[in-house]
Amino acid sequence: MTTTQRRALVTGASSGIGAATVRRLRAEGWDVVATARRADRLTALAHETGAEPFVADITSDQDVAALVDHVRATGGLDAVVNNAGGALGLDTVADADLERWRTMYELNVLGTLRVTKGLLPLLRERGQGDVLVVTSTAAHAAYPGGAGYTGVKHAERMLATTLRWEIVGEPIRVIEISPGNVATEEFSLVRFDGDAERAAKVYEGYQPLVAQDVADAIWWTLSRPAHVNVDLMVVRPRAQANNTTIARTGV
């Protein structure tokens, strides 16, 4: 499958994996619609890469409807990269913060659903396309304090898997990328309410993935020949065996 003149939409594009994916796809010659809530970051990314910015909150029905209308009116779509998401806290089940859980479900699960449901008709109109969902290794196993995040990522994974089963026979691929620990500027910082010291400890004593590593994986799966579907790619740091087993040195 050639990437020439292909057009992708990337959610959560203002930082981290999303921004790295925009850069990677643009470097490969793709047209990219970059969407996120923060207009200033999207504008800077657009100036840097030539991507098209579109400010939208994927937890808003109205924003997603406007995004879909815009994509339809400006040339349609070949691929959607559902990257927006995130974790909040490490609450035990007994001490769960319901508002944190609700926010995670709204962003990771319902946000992905809104975007995918809205853009699937455009992929069908194209006659060939890709729905890519960035989940996490949290979608594949539990860990103490992680029930909120593992729960939403399991749900997001089932969304992708079920969609693949439901549309089998159509020329649309459904791809899941599940990263392990990725050191980005915001993921752990947001998870721990801006506690930079606590966030840094997540990545101490080993080399975590960086956003570009995941962006490379995303591009590779999207660039396979049209008959090849990469159902699932799990990408971890070499030092990470599972969600909680990490070989750390000097700590």
Side-chain angles (χ1 to χ4, degrees):
M1 177 183 297
T2 178
T3 59
T4 305
Q5 302 300 314
R6 296 192 74 207
R7 191 185 196 207
L9 181 140
V10 179
T11 69
S14 61
S15 66
I17 293 170
T21 300
V22 172
R23 294 185 180 102
R24 186 69 166 98
L25 293 179
R26 287 293 299 145
E28 296 295 334
W30 291 57
D31 292 331
V32 180
V33 179
T35 189
R37 291 174 295 181
R38 292 175 291 187
D40 56 339
R41 293 197 173 212
L42 284 182
T43 299
L45 184 64
H47 286 318
E48 174 195 343
T49 65
E52 178 186 355
F54 191 95
V55 177
D57 180 350
I58 68 166
T59 68
S60 163
D61 292 343
Q62 292 75 21
D63 279 15
V64 172
L67 174 62
V68 172
D69 287 345
H70 172 77
V71 173
R72 178 182 289 110
T74 55
L77 199 66
D78 298 288
V80 55
V81 178
N82 287 292
N83 164 74
L88 295 174
L90 270 174
D91 304 334
T92 65
V93 172
D95 296 320
D97 183 318
L98 294 182
E99 284 306 312
R100 285 180 184 268
W101 282 46
R102 185 173 288 112
T103 298
M104 285 191 284
Y105 272 92
E106 191 66 49
L107 177 58
N108 291 274
V109 184
L110 298 183
T112 295
L113 176 60
R114 283 187 189 89
V115 172
T116 300
K117 181 179 178 180
L119 293 174
L120 187 58
L122 301 190
L123 298 177
R124 284 171 162 158
E125 288 171 13
R126 203 68 141 197
Q128 181 174 300
D130 299 309
V131 175
L132 188 148
V133 181
V134 180
T135 61
S136 165
T137 53
H140 301 269
Y143 58 90
Y149 188 56
T150 60
V152 299
K153 287 304 182 183
H154 273 78
E156 192 177 26
R157 182 181 182 219
M158 287 300 99
L159 185 160
T161 301
T162 304
L163 176 63
R164 187 183 304 117
W165 293 10
E166 289 172 346
I167 66 172
V168 64
E170 297 187 37
I172 296 173
R173 305 184 298 191
V174 181
I175 301 163
E176 179 188 354
I177 305 288
S178 294
N181 284 5
V182 185
T184 63
E185 63 268 35
E186 293 186 321
F187 180 84
S188 288
L189 198 63
V190 170
R191 182 170 210 171
F192 299 127
D193 300 319
D195 186 333
E197 183 177 354
R198 189 178 181 191
K201 287 185 181 300
V202 173
Y203 310 113
E204 280 187 356
Y206 71 104
Q207 174 60 61
L209 300 178
V210 296
Q212 291 85 348
D213 297 324
V214 184
D216 286 345
I218 290 170
W219 169 79
W220 184 82
T221 62
L222 293 176
S223 65
R224 295 309 84 205
H227 70 285
V228 177
N229 196 105
V230 181
D231 286 16
L232 169 65
M233 181 185 290
V234 177
V235 186
R236 287 192 178 99
R238 186 184 63 213
Q240 184 181 21
N242 56 47
N243 287 338
T244 57
T245 303
I246 300 172
R248 300 176 189 264
T249 60
V251 178

